Amino acid sequence: MAVTLQSLASIAAFCAWTVTSFFCHKLAKVAIDYFVSHLTSLTPVLGPILVTACQIICCYTAVRRELKFDGLFVVVASSHIAATLATNTSFYMLFASSTMAVKLLEPITSAIIQSLVLKTKMSMESALSMPVIITGAVLFVGDPFKSSVVTNGIILAFVSNVVLGIRNVGVKLQQSGDDHSVIHIHSRSVLRLVFAAISVVGAAKILEASVYDFPKGLSYFLFLSFLSGGFHVAYSFISTSVILLHMTVVGHAIANILKRVLVVMLLHVSGRRQASFWNWMGLVMCTCGLALYNLRKISSTRSPQQAEERATNPTDTEPYQPGSTVRKTTRLKLLLLTSLIAFGMFEAAVQLDGISIPRPLASFTRNVDETSGAAFTGNRETYMTRRALRPGSFLSLILNNGTAILSESALVSEILHVKPPRPQNATKDYGKNLRHGFVKWRDDKVLIDTSIVYQPERKPISDVHTFLKKKLIEVTQETDGLSPYLKTSDEVIAEAERVQQSLFSDLIGDKKYAVLIGAIAIENKGDSAITIGEVMMLEKLQIELLYYINVVRCTGEKLKHAQELVASHATDDVVILMHGGGNLIGYGVENDCREKAFQAFPKHKTIILSQSFFMYGSKATVAHRVEMYCCNPELTILLRDRLSLYIAKRLFTNGTKLLLAPDMAYAIGPISRFSPPVYDVVWLHRGDSETPVYKSLPTFPPNTSVRVSDWWGWTSPKGATTLETAHNMMMNGLLFLQRGRVVVTDRLHGHILCILLDIPHVLLDNADNKLSSYHNTWTRGLTNTRLTDNPQDAARLAMELLETYGKSLPPVVKPYTIEE
């Protein structure tokens, strides 16, 4: 029983040691990021300084140390403060996990400094472990020279190690005399700390409420900083006064390796960074290097004359145990254990790399004021429930890397291979004539070859397995390889989210901040749904939205304010995103806004989110906009269907990066119906220049209730900001579609939102093949969807869907349609 209790005590001590260390660093990072993002009126570098001050106040207030206030104490105290400040400043410049990966080198740095100052002998293991840990840390952090900010962050983390080495030498000199460094924490000390924190935070809160110009949010920042300081005190106390009482020499050495690496992993998992295979391999190397460093200490005989001088800081100092030895078998066991740990981490990295977990649709946790860039946190309230995926659904294929059996049943859509219909006569508009082949492009050929393929081929099963093993960034124009096999709405959504998150993780995963240009909130519910999907994608990637500009307010003043916000961050930390949709070339407001943004941010990585073409405009206008998208080496354009990708490859011939990616509205995720139907059929019929030309509406059978209208006139409540209004309009669009048991739509986002709601529906294509091109690329395998270009056929297909799915669809609430 005693052994069991001792083991439990050791595990509890280790868990407390790791968790308090993690929260100390995590809260410091959160506080610094909050300071930079929210307290924009203050100098950003002031954030790490204030966090350090709060941590030092906590140390001084809560800890009682029996030390002489002499010159040696000044060296120890000042070096401790300097090292803490260097670490916190590195947090400002790097991801927290990257900073802590560099700090894995701290024991080796301390050993070198002690060997130089105290003239101690450095073991061969210590010398060999240093390049291993350095290489591993560099691999985990990534390219240390990709920006000056990253380089400076790494340097500061290393400086922190050096300064801590100096501190450790001072502590050893103190311990060699009559005075011993012992941390004592009494209840009275803790009460003093709590009182000091409450006083400072409370005073800041009062000033925020009473002084107009006082920085808003400073009280919350100080609260996070003091909380970090409290965990700093707890971590130090557990290290010196608890952990060593419950662990043997061997146990302490192994636990020290695990603790350091676990803290880095916890910071990574809880942060916004995306790690690649080689990043994880770097962490494995660091683990092996730490194991090599500790090997000599563990396997050597401990005695005052023979013991190697401790290279760790005081919190990692092991107690001297006279006569304790470790046999060679124990040494081999340690090597085996370390190898198993490294192998386990390697396997975990391979399995987890690139896999993301979709979130439920929820109210925004971050609302960004488009006029000031300020953000605030609201309550997260999930008001929709994700549909449960059926057992054995295609999602299992995606997550199990293609191990499920792919069905070879026939596809549903009837006109997949029909060549797109074209108008019989030319118009006065150059863009339309170019689109439909009445004029030729610069190479004296029509823009669109009638023989092109509008959908991916249904490849052999072996090719699908190969496709699933590839990173999508390697096959950027073949990302629709699974779409012919996707039969249900849930499968289509899951695959769309997988494609989006895989591509964006590689395209912008190393960025910390984003600016969204061209966000929109209009009664075309599709554009609003795209806006919401774009914001939710950033939430999933944990990339902070610094600022956004409404496309109808894309002025020089707004762009100048965006430039000022972006200038406070490193160029490599910010990505410029441009709103998706179906407006490349033809719509003036959107294209003009993007041109202004190109001029405002010429050196920043810029991504135009999933778009399709609307060919409209004079010859000069089309030529100008083609050149605008052709000549920016930092620009990447995502095309949302194969026809658009084909057109882009014809128009943009000088190196513009082109990727195939589904519409951004899919990032909203699957949604359960939240309103009963009122009609058997809701016909979403647009009335603008993109509509199919109906000579007459079809006649439905008796006793079938039908409502034909456009959601543009379905008025939505306005919000306080563009994003809130877009959210309301997207929700109103979902409500519009749910009025029908089945839907007929000639709007693309009628199709996409019906997929999110899992409503059976018919697509009615237009002259530009906007719907068929998207359907043939991503959704042609859906069993509850039909495609046609004829209104009479659309009515017939809608009735077929009612008959096929009638038993599983909610009934119509008939009293709602009774006339007054």
Side-chain angles (χ1 to χ4, degrees):
M1 178 63 69
V3 174
T4 303
L5 291 175
Q6 178 67 26
S7 300
L8 291 175
S10 299
I11 294 173
F14 173 76
C15 291
W17 192 23
T18 303
V19 170
T20 51
S21 175
F22 162 71
F23 277 112
C24 168
H25 301 304
K26 179 62 179 179
L27 288 168
K29 173 62 174 175
V30 171
I32 292 168
D33 285 349
Y34 181 87
F35 186 94
V36 173
S37 300
H38 294 69
L39 300 171
T40 54
S41 61
L42 302 175
T43 304
V45 180
L46 188 60
I49 296 174
L50 290 177
V51 171
T52 303
C54 292
Q55 291 174 338
I56 298 304
I57 290 173
C58 289
C59 290
Y60 180 79
T61 306
V63 176
R64 289 296 181 222
R65 302 177 70 93
E66 307 298 332
L67 293 170
K68 292 181 179 179
F69 288 84
D70 54 11
L72 197 55
F73 171 80
V74 172
V75 172
V76 171
S78 60
S79 59
H80 180 78
I81 294 172
T84 305
L85 178 59
T87 299
N88 289 331
T89 308
S90 179
F91 282 158
Y92 164 62
M93 299 177 175
L94 300 175
F95 293 106
S97 57
S98 298
T99 296
M100 297 309 295
V102 177
K103 287 183 66 62
L104 290 175
L105 192 63
E106 179 189 328
I108 314 299
T109 309
S110 294
I112 295 174
I113 294 175
Q114 289 186 32
S115 66
L116 294 174
V117 177
L118 301 179
K119 307 299 182 183
T120 58
K121 183 179 179 181
M122 190 173 179
S123 68
M124 180 64 70
E125 286 88 344
S126 298
L128 292 175
S129 63
M130 182 169 62
V132 176
I133 298 177
I134 290 176
T135 304
V138 170
L139 279 175
F140 183 78
V141 173
D143 183 4
F145 304 109
K146 65 182 178 182
S147 76
S148 59
V149 174
V150 173
T151 304
N152 293 337
I154 294 173
I155 292 173
L156 281 170
F158 183 76
V159 167
S160 174
N161 293 338
V162 174
V163 176
L164 282 175
I166 297 172
R167 182 204 66 178
N168 296 339
V169 171
V171 170
K172 277 196 167 294
L173 293 175
Q174 287 176 330
Q175 293 175 337
S176 64
D178 296 330
D179 299 310
H180 295 277
S181 176
V182 181
I183 293 181
H184 299 286
I185 298 180
H186 302 295
S187 58
R188 188 176 301 174
S189 301
V190 175
L191 289 175
R192 275 196 294 266
L193 171 59
V194 172
F195 177 78
I198 291 176
S199 299
V200 174
V201 174
K205 193 71 176 177
I206 293 172
L207 290 172
E208 286 177 10
S210 58
V211 179
Y212 178 77
D213 292 332
F214 194 83
K216 301 299 185 287
L218 184 61
S219 59
Y220 179 66
F221 163 76
L222 291 173
F223 168 75
L224 293 174
S225 300
F226 275 112
L227 202 58
S228 173
F231 278 106
H232 181 73
V233 172
Y235 161 65
S236 300
F237 173 75
I238 292 171
S239 298
T240 59
S241 304
V242 178
I243 195 76
L244 294 177
L245 298 178
H246 297 285
M247 291 202 176
T248 64
V249 174
V250 174
H252 180 275
I254 296 175
N256 190 32
I257 299 171
L258 290 176
K259 184 265 299 180
R260 290 175 180 274
V261 176
L262 278 175
V263 168
V264 174
M265 294 184 70
L266 287 171
L267 288 171
H268 165 77
V269 170
S270 64
R272 62 180 60 151
R273 177 183 174 179
Q274 303 290 324
S276 67
F277 166 78
W278 289 108
N279 296 139
W280 286 111
M281 281 299 297
L283 193 58
V284 171
M285 287 188 66
C286 288
T287 306
C288 296
L290 286 172
L292 179 63
Y293 167 72
N294 281 280
L295 192 61
R296 175 67 177 272
K297 296 191 297 181
I298 295 171
S299 60
S300 62
T301 300
R302 302 306 202 271
S303 71
Q305 292 79 25
Q306 296 176 329
E308 178 186 356
E309 289 294 331
R310 300 274 55 87
T312 57
N313 60 47
T315 62
D316 295 327
T317 302
E318 299 170 13
Y320 162 62
Q321 298 182 2
S324 63
T325 61
V326 180
R327 294 177 301 173
K328 290 184 178 180
T329 54
T330 304
R331 185 175 182 176
L332 292 174
K333 289 177 182 177
L334 177 62
L335 278 174
L336 179 60
L337 177 61
T338 305
S339 300
L340 288 174
I341 293 169
F343 179 76
M345 289 173 56
F346 172 78
E347 281 297 308
V350 171
Q351 294 298 323
L352 292 176
D353 186 31
I355 295 179
S356 56
I357 302 174
R359 300 180 180 180
L361 178 62
S363 57
F364 296 113
T365 55
R366 185 181 304 279
N367 297 297
V368 184
D369 183 347
E370 61 186 313
T371 59
S372 65
F376 61 90
T377 301
N379 295 324
R380 179 176 290 275
E381 180 181 343
T382 302
Y383 54 82
M384 291 184 182
T385 305
R386 279 183 174 270
R387 299 188 299 273
L389 290 168
R390 296 179 293 102
S393 71
F394 198 83
L395 183 60
S396 64
L397 169 69
I398 295 171
L399 296 182
N400 291 299
N401 205 23
T403 57
I405 298 176
L406 298 176
S407 172
E408 295 293 347
S409 59
L411 300 176
V412 174
S413 300
E414 300 177 359
I415 62 166
L416 284 172
H417 303 289
V418 174
K419 300 302 182 291
R422 297 185 176 185
Q424 297 298 314
N425 301 311
T427 69
K428 295 180 179 180
D429 183 82
Y430 172 81
K432 281 190 174 183
N433 290 334
L434 179 64
R435 164 68 178 82
H436 295 294
F438 295 109
V439 297
K440 296 181 179 180
W441 186 231
R442 294 170 179 172
D443 56 4
D444 202 31
K445 297 179 181 178
V446 295
L447 180 65
I448 301 174
D449 184 349
T450 56
S451 65
I452 69 168
V453 178
Y454 289 89
Q455 63 280 322
E457 297 178 1
R458 212 173 192 209
K459 299 178 180 179
I461 304 301
S462 58
D463 290 348
V464 176
H465 292 318
T466 302
F467 170 78
L468 286 168
K469 294 177 182 178
K470 292 181 178 179
K471 289 180 70 69
L472 294 181
I473 199 67
E474 300 172 359
V475 288
T476 54
Q477 297 182 12
E478 302 290 337
T479 57
D480 56 351
L482 291 183
S483 65
Y485 301 94
L486 306 175
K487 296 183 178 181
T488 69
S489 298
D490 289 327
E491 292 167 359
V492 168
I493 298 167
E495 174 63 0
E497 289 183 318
R498 184 185 79 94
V499 171
Q500 288 175 339
Q501 294 193 39
S502 176
L503 287 177
F504 292 142
S505 294
D506 287 315
L507 286 173
I508 59 177
D510 59 340
K511 308 297 182 184
K512 299 179 182 179
Y513 310 101
V515 172
L516 178 59
I517 305 294
I520 193 168
I522 57 176
E523 292 294 359
N524 178 2
K525 312 303 188 294
D527 284 301
S528 297
I530 294 172
T531 297
I532 299 307
E534 290 163 348
V535 174
M536 295 192 75
M537 176 55 65
L538 291 176
E539 286 278 305
K540 292 175 183 178
L541 294 174
Q542 298 185 24
I543 295 174
E544 184 174 340
L545 181 59
L546 277 181
Y547 189 68
Y548 70 94
I549 297 178
N550 188 321
V551 68
V552 298
R553 303 172 194 156
C554 190
T555 63
E557 180 183 357
K558 300 286 186 185
L559 287 166
K560 183 178 179 181
H561 183 67
Q563 286 177 305
E564 293 172 352
L565 287 174
V566 170
S568 62
H569 303 281
T571 300
D572 288 342
D573 284 343
V574 182
V575 62
I576 307 300
L577 302 178
M578 298 188 177
H579 179 66
N583 51 61
L584 279 178
I585 303 297
Y587 282 94
V589 174
E590 288 83 353
N591 288 276
D592 291 344
C593 179
R594 284 193 282 267
E595 183 173 17
K596 294 176 185 176
F598 290 152
Q599 296 169 356
F601 302 101
K603 297 182 180 180
H604 283 79
K605 184 177 184 65
T606 303
I607 300 173
I608 298 179
L609 299 172
S610 302
Q611 275 280 353
S612 55
F613 286 89
F614 178 65
M615 300 302 296
Y616 187 86
S618 67
K619 185 175 182 178
T621 298
V622 171
H624 173 72
R625 288 172 182 163
V626 167
E627 294 302 325
M628 179 178 76
Y629 294 120
C630 270
C631 307
N632 187 345
E634 297 295 332
L635 177 63
T636 298
I637 303 178
L638 307 184
L639 287 312
R640 65 182 180 184
D641 59 77
R642 282 195 162 271
L643 179 58
S644 296
L645 177 64
Y646 178 90
I647 296 173
K649 291 164 74 172
R650 293 279 286 115
L651 295 180
F652 311 142
T653 56
N654 65 339
T656 301
K657 292 182 280 293
L658 306 173
L659 283 75
L660 183 65
D663 189 86
M664 292 305 300
Y666 282 113
I668 297 171
I671 304 164
S672 296
R673 280 198 191 226
F674 54 87
S675 179
V678 180
Y679 306 97
D680 291 309
V681 179
V682 161
W683 190 305
L684 174 54
H685 176 30
R686 70 188 305 161
D688 58 13
S689 59
E690 292 189 51
T691 184
V693 179
Y694 299 176
K695 294 183 179 179
S696 62
L697 288 172
T699 301
F700 281 83
N703 301 321
T704 301
S705 55
V706 182
R707 179 67 177 176
V708 181
S709 62
D710 188 13
W711 61 16
W712 189 274
W714 186 259
T715 307
S716 308
K718 300 300 186 291
T721 66
T722 293
L723 287 187
E724 185 181 358
T725 299
H727 176 269
N728 294 344
M729 290 174 171
M730 179 269 296
M731 292 295 297
N732 205 21
L734 297 172
L735 183 62
F736 180 97
L737 296 171
Q738 289 175 82
R739 296 180 305 147
R741 299 182 79 205
V742 301
V743 171
V744 177
T745 175
D746 56 35
R747 283 190 179 275
L748 175 60
H749 280 85
H751 170 50
I752 292 173
L753 295 188
C754 277
I755 293 175
L756 299 186
L757 290 163
D758 197 26
I759 296 177
H761 59 286
V762 179
L763 284 72
L764 186 55
D765 203 14
N766 65 2
D768 287 344
N769 310 109
K770 183 175 180 179
L771 284 80
S772 62
S773 299
Y774 190 88
H775 176 63
N776 291 344
T777 304
W778 297 106
T779 63
R780 68 180 176 128
L782 279 174
T783 56
N784 67 347
T785 302
R786 304 291 186 267
L787 172 64
T788 182
D789 59 358
N790 185 296
Q792 301 298 326
D793 287 339
R796 175 181 58 81
L797 293 170
M799 295 306 299
E800 287 182 5
L801 290 174
L802 277 174
E803 181 178 355
T804 302
Y805 294 94
K807 293 182 179 180
S808 62
L809 296 173
V812 169
V813 182
K814 293 184 178 180
Y816 288 173
T817 59
I818 297 176
E819 294 186 6
E820 297 182 44

